[in-house]
Amino acid sequence: MTDTARPGRSWLLRLVIAFAFAQGAVSMARPAVSYRALALGADERAIGVITGVYALLPLFAAVPLGRRTDHGRCAPLLPLGVVLIAGGCALSGRAASLTAMAAWSGLMGLGHLCFVIGAQSIVARQSAPADQDRNFGHFTIGASLGQLIGPIAAGYLISERDGAMGRTSALALIVAAGTAAVSFGSLWRIEHRTAPARRGKAPAAKVPVGSILRARGVPGGIFISLAVLSATDILTAYLPVVGEHRGIAPATVGLLLSLRAAATIACRLVMTPMLRVLGRAALLGSTCLLAGVLCAGIALPAPVWALALMLAVLGFCLGVGQPLSMTTVVRAAPAAARSTALALRLTGNRLGQVAAPAAAGLVAGVAGTAAPFVMLGALLVVAAGLGARGKGDRAPRRDGAPQPDPAVSEEGPARAGLNRNPA
């Protein structure tokens, strides 16, 4: 076995660590942005707009970045993403108006998009077909670690006593910028470069976006990812608002959000055994359905202990959708357009992050701050139906025998995951 075929997994560990710090910065900044906006006089509708702008720039940038990554290296997007995240956090901490808050929130979202497209493409290229579910699951543990630590740190730093929320939320955003910068320490030599990019050859024809979207499994994977991420995003942005209305302290809100993230980590650690027992379709359908019921349950005036229990189970259920939707999209897309397909999945995510907070802001303004969670519940129930209609394949053996990856027959194992030509 060559070195190319036996790359080891240190790259995955370092990618998880880098993602944990980058996501930790974003997860600390998102509630801090909401609290700072409240201190600047924002209402529920303004919070929805600011949360939506976070996804606006990425909505237009995702597909061009995916196209570039399909025919080039992925690694340069990682440090670029870290710089933009750190800059967006720091500038948000110094913003003195809601307009500026929205603009720097958009910059932060663009940085997060760059990092995630580069990182997901690296996992897709450097994972053998039989390891994709596991490696995407482990990769998303980095996101869950960040979502676990970030809200706790934000809740610890932010205080509303004596009108200090404007100052303390700004401090939390500056700390988030420093947290993002720590990611640089794990970004060395993450992408394997065992073969030079092909030179002197005509570039491969671009696969039309329409063809990618018509591939069976891609639209369903995109919608499931959109629904799950919208739920996570609205929870992060609107639980502070719910806490304000119900008299729950920011530190307690941070702990509740982190409890949700800890349950997501637990889910991803046991995902492979769950796939072997239930299969992908049953696992996706059942967890999305239960998550929808629990999201709607948050609208009820439950005590804090009941809210904590709901968020723990909800976090476990939400842990399934993201990694399995990545694998679904990668396997369903044409082999020459996998980064573009992942970028389309992220475009769907960002579309949800634009539309869901805007809709949540309108619903909250009309029906109260708990109403957006009922809307999310309905979205997840639809995702459950799509997940249950998908292929019911179970996790493959490491030899890949039960479910050969389509890329193996199209372009051989190098393209499928062994990455003999990373370009």
Side-chain angles (χ1 to χ4, degrees), residues 96 103 123 126 131 167 174 225-226 230 233 273 302 305 323 342 354 375:
V123 175
Q126 299 183 177
D131 293 335
R167 177 177 54 81
I174 299 300
S225 180
L226 180 155
S230 294
D233 209 50
W305 66 266
L342 287 169
V354 170
M375 179 191 73

Side-chain angles (χ1 to χ4, degrees), residues 94-124:
R94 296 186 61 85
S97 69
L98 296 179
T99 302
M101 290 289 296
W104 302 134
S105 181
L107 185 67
M108 189 195 316
L110 182 61
H112 189 259
L113 175 83
C114 290
F115 190 99
V116 172
I117 285 181
Q120 287 184 6
S121 299
I122 287 173
V123 175

Side-chain angles (χ1 to χ4, degrees), residues 24-25 28-33 35-37 39 86 88-95 101 150 153-159 164-180:
M28 188 187 307
R30 300 302 299 285
V33 164
Y35 281 119
R36 182 156 176 78
C89 291
L91 291 167
S92 294
R94 296 186 61 85
M101 290 289 296
Y156 177 78
L157 290 171
I158 297 170
S159 172
M165 193 161 62
R167 177 177 54 81
T168 55
S169 58
L171 173 63
L173 287 162
I174 299 300
V175 172
T179 302

Side-chain angles (χ1 to χ4, degrees), residues 82 130 145 148 192 196 227 246 253 293 369:
V82 172
L145 285 170
L148 170 67
H192 301 141
R246 296 185 186 177
V253 170
V293 173
T369 56

Side-chain angles (χ1 to χ4, degrees), residues 358-420:
L362 291 174
V363 170
V366 173
T369 56
F373 297 103
V374 177
M375 179 191 73
L376 288 176
L379 193 66
L380 285 165
V381 169
V382 175
L386 291 173
R389 291 173 56 191
K391 289 185 178 181
D393 52 336
R394 284 170 166 76
R397 298 194 308 263
R398 287 186 64 80
D399 61 7
Q403 49 176 18
D405 189 90
V408 175
S409 60
E410 293 174 8
E411 295 191 17
R415 189 67 178 174
L418 298 184
N419 193 36
R420 288 191 175 89

Side-chain angles (χ1 to χ4, degrees), residues 54 71 187 307 331 355:
Y54 170 85
H71 303 287
L187 294 181
L307 191 59
R331 291 183 177 181

